[in-house]
Amino acid sequence: MIKAPPGTKDILPPESEIWQKIEETARKIFKLYGYREIRTPIFESTSLFQRSIGEVTDIVEKEMYTFKDKGGRSLTLRPEGTAPVVRAYLEHQFPQKDQFQKFYYMGPMFRYERPQKGRYRQFHQIGVEVFGPSHPMMDVEVIAIQWRLFKELGIDNIEVVINSLGCEKCRPAYRERLVEYLRANRERLCETCQRRLERNPLRVLDCKNEGCRRVVREGPEITEFLCEDCKKHMEQVEKGLQQLGIPYRVDPFLVRGLDYYTRTVFEFIHKSLGAQNTVSAGGRYDHLVKELGGPDIPGIGFALGVERLVLILNARGLQEEKKPLYFILLGEDSLMKGMELMEKLRNNGIPVMWTGKTGSIKAQLRLANKKGASLVAIMGEDELNRHSIKIKNMETGEESEVKWEEVSSFLSSYYS
RNA sequence: GUGGGCGUAGCUCAACAGGUAGAGCGCUGGACUGUGGCUCCAGUGGCUGUGGGUUCAAGUCCCAUCGCCCACCCCA
């Protein structure tokens, strides 16, 4: 038997209903904040990701699905959503015609990693990107959107963690000081961190190893190195969050795995997720647009992992959708008339379906029951002759015979 | 890429110390002729992930391989 490739999976009902719920809620909220959808290709030129994410990151070095097409072009299945959106923003001349843009996107991303809880090779992200504003209140807005989304989905015990990564003026000084400090404590670090120290020292900050954490906690904090502008930016973000009543925690050691972030970074963390406990994250990227060949336009965005969100929602259990009215039709004549009746009910927005069986009433009723129907409509010769149909409540067993013309209004309150 | 755990019926799991595979649930039908759920009865179920090896004999022991899960790593 052929199975789905490792790290991929089918999203079957009823789980697909949770996905729809998430997507619908997200779209509704994005609209509320004035964001519009952008859809970019699933694959892009490999160089786009090399230049944006950073050559020495793990994503670029070993996790990309890269291949050559028949024309010899090197293409890569997108490992994240921001770079493609920036590329589209530039390709369609937005800086020249309408710099200020708020986009949202949702779709699959691809990274070649070993699958585990909350981590897949094909996974889905929902995210936004804002181009233009450098004001800290836009950072607050982007965090507020996520906060609202989780709240609306009924997730409350989520933790918001923020930090500032500084800018090109202040980060180098911190980085230098950090490397100096870490080198001095080299023998206390784990093996991977000793390697990281030379390649990507900021990543030592979020090592999970207890020994490394202790070293990090005793070391320099970026907060102390921020320049006046960055410090002020951070303060404003905090004030904004307080104003909106969004609880948060500052973690001076929070960093991101992608090179392009500047100033504000944030993560939304949920305990139930296991080792991959970040459900949503992002930050400001003030020079990414420039690095990809455009003018120096600041940006900020977030991405959330849909699979991880589903994990949280699944663990909690989501309320069942209302089941459609099941039609039990006995005999050819009833079936024919029933098809017509069902169409009429659908015209009025009432979800109905035929059991698909032509057998005995018992068999059909049993099927409807198995499918969890709460209401069924029964029509045989008797009802047909009386131009009516029986509506049966499967929970109470109660039945009432209703004229064809009145079925729709009879049901409207239940299915409103 | 590294480590640990696990692969037996559609699902959850049994099978003493190697002796030729079993239960519950599910599914189909019946008892019940136009009324489901409950009950009872019957039926349906498997190349024990795959390929080798040891043995008179392998679900069980050994090796390899594939897959799943979790963790490292990484990140949404």
Side-chain angles (χ1 to χ4, degrees):
Chain A
M1 205 192 338
I2 298 173
K3 295 197 242 172
T8 70
K9 64 167 189 170
D10 302 307
I11 298 152
L12 305 170
E15 192 188 287
S16 53
E17 278 155 25
I18 296 178
W19 282 68
Q20 288 174 7
K21 173 86 180 154
I22 291 169
E23 287 162 5
E24 281 162 18
T25 308
R27 282 183 201 281
K28 195 181 86 192
I29 290 173
F30 293 152
K31 201 170 178 181
L32 231 38
Y33 285 84
Y35 289 71
R36 293 186 300 170
E37 186 178 11
I38 182 169
R39 301 190 190 197
T40 64
I42 298 289
F43 56 84
E44 296 271 359
S45 293
T46 302
S47 55
L48 172 65
F49 300 114
Q50 290 171 334
R51 282 173 61 185
S52 58
I53 297 170
E55 295 274 8
V56 295
T57 57
D58 278 38
I59 295 178
V60 170
E61 279 186 338
K62 46 195 193 199
E63 293 175 4
M64 296 204 302
Y65 277 93
T66 297
F67 60 97
K68 275 203 161 56
D69 73 3
K70 293 187 179 183
R73 287 169 279 260
S74 178
L75 302 172
T76 294
L77 261 38
R78 61 181 187 195
E80 60 106 31
T82 301
V85 174
V86 175
R87 194 226 80 231
Y89 176 76
L90 289 174
E91 183 168 338
H92 300 286
Q93 316 292 335
F94 280 104
Q96 287 83 338
K97 57 184 193 203
D98 195 1
Q99 218 177 82
F100 183 92
Q101 289 296 329
K102 296 165 93 174
F103 294 118
Y104 78 85
Y105 61 85
M106 40 184 74
M109 307 291 162
F110 306 85
R111 290 181 204 172
Y112 190 86
E113 302 179 271
R114 276 292 275 277
Q116 69 181 75
K117 187 173 184 179
R119 191 170 79 185
Y120 306 92
R121 289 183 176 176
Q122 173 174 336
F123 60 103
H124 296 75
Q125 289 190 336
I126 295 177
V128 310
E129 311 293 347
V130 182
F131 297 102
S134 57
H135 199 283
M137 285 314 136
M138 192 48 77
D139 308 23
V140 173
E141 176 182 297
V142 167
I143 293 170
I145 294 172
Q146 296 164 82
W147 182 252
R148 184 185 289 269
L149 182 55
F150 293 124
K151 226 172 77 183
E152 196 129 331
L153 288 169
I155 300 165
D156 33 23
N157 43 353
I158 200 146
E159 196 182 9
V160 184
V161 185
I162 66 167
N163 189 27
S164 174
L165 258 35
C167 63
E168 68 283 1
K169 276 189 290 184
C170 49
R171 186 159 25 174
Y174 169 66
R175 191 188 151 109
E176 204 174 303
R177 179 74 189 83
L178 179 70
V179 171
E180 197 181 303
Y181 167 78
L182 291 176
R183 281 214 178 107
N185 292 279
R186 196 193 180 93
E187 60 301 333
R188 291 171 63 201
L189 296 173
C190 70
E191 250 178 76
T192 10
C193 280
Q194 299 199 4
R195 262 182 288 123
R196 276 199 277 241
L197 172 53
E198 306 306 329
R199 294 184 52 230
N200 203 342
L202 290 185
R203 294 226 55 89
V204 176
L205 297 183
D206 67 354
C207 182
K208 283 176 192 135
N209 182 289
E210 203 31 64
C212 299
R213 298 183 74 131
R214 201 167 308 124
V215 174
V216 164
R217 272 201 301 274
E218 292 163 10
E221 295 185 8
I222 187 153
T223 332
E224 294 154 18
F225 286 78
L226 295 180
C227 62
E228 276 312 304
D229 288 347
C230 285
K231 203 178 285 177
K232 204 170 162 212
H233 190 96
M234 181 70 167
E235 283 166 11
Q236 289 279 94
V237 170
E238 291 197 47
K239 271 178 92 172
L241 291 175
Q242 287 159 19
Q243 181 80 25
L244 299 187
I246 297 172
Y248 66 92
R249 178 167 66 83
V250 178
D251 178 357
F253 303 117
L254 175 69
V255 290
R256 310 265 66 238
L258 289 71
D259 281 355
Y260 52 66
Y261 287 110
T262 53
R263 289 193 171 166
T264 314
V265 292
F266 49 81
E267 273 186 15
F268 282 65
I269 293 172
H270 194 94
K271 295 175 273 306
S272 76
L273 288 175
Q276 318 297 321
N277 61 2
T278 303
V279 61
S280 174
R284 182 161 275 288
Y285 46 85
D286 283 340
H287 307 298
L288 178 58
V289 175
K290 188 177 180 186
E291 270 155 39
L292 288 177
D296 202 6
I297 294 172
I300 178 166
F302 77 82
L304 88 69
V306 181
E307 281 81 355
R308 293 182 186 179
L309 190 48
V310 171
L311 229 43
I312 297 172
L313 258 21
N314 258 337
R316 209 202 43 194
L318 209 67
Q319 63 183 32
E320 281 269 325
E321 294 260 311
K322 232 171 222 173
K323 289 288 192 327
L325 173 67
Y326 271 75
F327 261 58
I328 291 171
L329 300 165
L330 308 162
E332 282 303 304
D333 296 342
S334 299
L335 179 54
M336 208 48 95
K337 185 66 194 174
M339 291 301 288
E340 184 198 329
L341 263 177
M342 285 194 284
E343 282 305 314
K344 289 204 169 128
L345 290 174
R346 291 178 185 123
N347 288 343
N348 294 323
I350 295 169
V352 294
M353 64 184 286
W354 171 47
T355 60
K357 274 198 160 190
T358 51
S360 67
I361 185 166
K362 181 193 282 295
Q364 294 198 47
L365 216 35
R366 200 178 285 163
L367 182 72
N369 187 60
K370 194 172 73 181
K371 298 285 187 189
S374 47
L375 284 183
V376 298
I378 304 165
M379 184 164 67
E381 236 177 286
D382 298 348
E383 291 84 1
L384 191 64
N385 290 334
R386 290 196 291 267
H387 289 207
S388 67
I389 193 160
K390 269 191 188 134
I391 307 289
K392 176 174 175 133
N393 183 318
M394 293 296 272
E395 269 102 66
T396 63
E398 205 182 329
E399 282 183 30
S400 29
E401 191 159 338
V402 184
K403 289 275 175 212
W404 288 343
E405 317 83 68
E406 290 157 10
V407 176
S408 182
S409 56
F410 184 84
L411 293 166
S412 60
S413 64
Y414 182 80
Y415 285 111
S416 58

